[in-house]
Amino acid sequence: MMNNVPSSTIARGHSLSDEVAMRIRKSIESGSIEPGKRLPTEQELGEAYGVSRPVIREAVSILKSDGLVISQQGRGHFVNPQGASVFRLEPSFEDKEDLADLFHFLMSVEVAATEQAATRRTSSDLDAIRQQLDGLEVAIRENRNGVEEDIKFHRAILQATHNAYFICFGEFLDSRVRNLIRTARENTARNQDMIKRVQHEHEAIFKAIVAQDAEGARAAAKQHLNNAAQRLHIYLAPAD
């Protein structure tokens, strides 16, 4: 195995790519992989961590979005010699207080974005959001957790803001909170009544956006996040 990255394999779970990214990041920060040096190949990393090459590619993509890794066409991936000075979001899914803080943070972004989407959306935006809402219905009928459909639904709402900052930051959040959404959906999938309530929350958000009701969209998004927190057994104090 390689000398410059830890070679212990990763236990299977929901966040293999995030875990791999975290381990590579630690190797970089500790100096095991020096600035300007090329990362091991996908095959080498995959063997070191006991994961597939697609997992490695996604992990490297996360590091690239952080600015910690850069690509050189035809040569591979390298540690950014200038280092990374970007915002990081690495929630602890075992720490309820940390998750509560994360939900308060998400609320400040998602609620404001949903409100703006209601005022800026176009007819094509509505079609895109409706398509993802329908996709969630299909996932429910097929007894799937609907994680990807859920992410795409909220991503379509961010696109409807026509605000590059919301859109770019939303892409950043996708890779960091995907597993949180997955856990919420899996908890929900065990209860048909809860599944219906979640979908009603999505429908309420969509209806407010259709009506260009900014305040209604804000309230619906806020309620959805509060309920999502409760579905994860995290009880948040009402946010102003």
Side-chain angles (χ1 to χ4, degrees):
M1 288 295 179
M2 298 163 292
N3 295 324
N4 54 353
V5 295
S7 59
S8 57
T9 58
I10 295 171
R12 288 299 184 270
H14 289 313
S15 57
L16 289 176
S17 57
D18 290 334
E19 178 69 17
V20 170
M22 181 186 71
R23 294 198 187 188
I24 297 174
R25 182 182 294 114
K26 286 182 177 179
S27 293
I28 293 171
E29 291 174 346
S30 69
S32 296
I33 308 178
E34 298 175 356
K37 296 294 185 180
R38 187 174 69 84
L39 289 182
T41 66
E42 289 180 0
Q43 181 176 347
E44 289 172 332
L45 288 169
E47 290 175 353
Y49 296 122
V51 298
S52 66
R53 293 178 71 170
V55 170
I56 296 299
R57 281 194 289 271
E58 186 172 355
V60 171
S61 178
I62 291 171
L63 295 171
K64 287 172 65 178
S65 71
D66 284 348
L68 196 59
V69 168
I70 58 176
S71 295
Q72 295 184 15
Q73 190 168 3
R75 297 190 61 205
H77 304 294
F78 292 76
V79 178
N80 189 342
Q82 298 181 2
S85 57
V86 296
F87 178 77
R88 289 183 182 173
L89 182 64
E90 297 174 350
S92 169
F93 296 101
E94 290 76 33
D95 185 336
K96 286 190 175 183
E97 184 176 349
D98 185 60
L99 282 175
D101 286 343
L102 174 61
F103 266 98
H104 280 301
F105 173 72
L106 289 177
M107 198 170 292
S108 70
V109 177
E110 294 285 342
V111 170
T114 305
E115 179 181 28
Q116 189 166 107
T119 62
R120 292 190 173 185
R121 96 297 185 277
T122 64
S123 58
S124 61
D125 291 327
L126 293 180
D127 289 341
I129 300 170
R130 175 82 257 180
Q131 180 180 356
Q132 303 311 326
L133 190 62
D134 291 344
L136 277 163
E137 285 285 355
V138 172
I140 291 169
R141 288 199 301 270
E142 295 178 351
N143 200 31
R144 293 185 286 106
N145 63 26
V147 174
E148 295 306 320
E149 291 83 359
D150 194 307
I151 290 172
K152 289 177 181 178
F153 172 75
H154 290 286
R155 186 182 296 158
I157 291 173
L158 289 175
Q159 291 291 334
T161 66
H162 297 277
N163 183 321
Y165 294 101
F166 275 133
I167 294 168
C168 290
F169 195 62
E171 291 174 355
F172 171 82
L173 287 175
D174 275 356
S175 65
R176 300 310 190 280
V177 302
R178 184 186 304 111
N179 297 312
L180 194 64
I181 297 171
R182 180 180 285 108
T183 301
R185 295 292 300 185
E186 287 178 345
N187 288 347
T188 300
R190 301 188 186 103
N191 185 313
Q192 286 296 318
D193 288 338
M194 191 176 290
I195 288 174
K196 293 177 182 177
R197 288 199 295 272
V198 173
Q199 191 65 347
H200 287 159
E201 292 168 18
H202 289 143
E203 290 169 355
I205 292 171
F206 178 64
K207 288 177 181 177
I209 293 174
V210 170
Q212 293 188 304
D213 179 0
E215 186 56 37
R218 181 181 183 85
K222 181 178 177 181
Q223 187 64 53
H224 178 53
L225 280 170
N226 270 318
N227 290 347
Q230 292 177 12
R231 285 188 283 271
L232 283 168
H233 309 292
I234 304 161
Y235 298 94
L236 301 179
D240 295 329

